[in-house]
Amino acid sequence: MIGILIVSHSKALAEGAVEVAKQMADERLPIKAVGGLDDGSIGTDAVRIMEGLYSVYTEEGVLVFVDLGSSVLSTQMAMDLLGDEKMKSNIHIVNAPIVEGSIVAALQASIEDPIESIIEEAENAWKMNKL
């Protein structure tokens, strides 16, 4: 089963997305929130993201959902800190909305779809109609 990491500038936003995704997913799915800074302020921290990547890593891969552009940069920096090229090649930053995309990915991962299919479905979340 893949792992999912949700990276947000806001701790509450990241944890909320994880909470909803966990309600929809297999309880075995490794999913974690990394949001905000240690002092509770808004921001991202590459070291905390790296630790999050280690905590959800599986050989099947990890999908990372981010909220804003600088969270992409922090995640890329965290991946560089890993040092392990094989591990880095199994981590994918997904171009999808953080909430809808991570929920879709959690559902698809729970039925153990291939990672490429999960990424595609999560990226299609941009097109979800809500009405």
Side-chain angles (χ1 to χ4, degrees), residues 11-27:
K11 179 180 180 181
L13 177 61
E15 289 177 350
V18 166
E19 179 183 12
V20 176
K22 278 185 172 182
Q23 291 295 315
M24 309 286 190
D26 184 311
E27 63 187 27

Side-chain angles (χ1 to χ4, degrees), residues 9-10 16 18 37-39 50 54 65 69-70 75 77 84 121 126-127:
H9 285 74
S10 165
V18 166
L37 300 176
D38 284 336
D39 66 1
M50 179 190 67
Y54 276 121
F65 293 86
S70 60
T75 300
M77 187 181 303
D84 183 329
E121 289 298 321
W126 287 115
K127 301 174 191 169

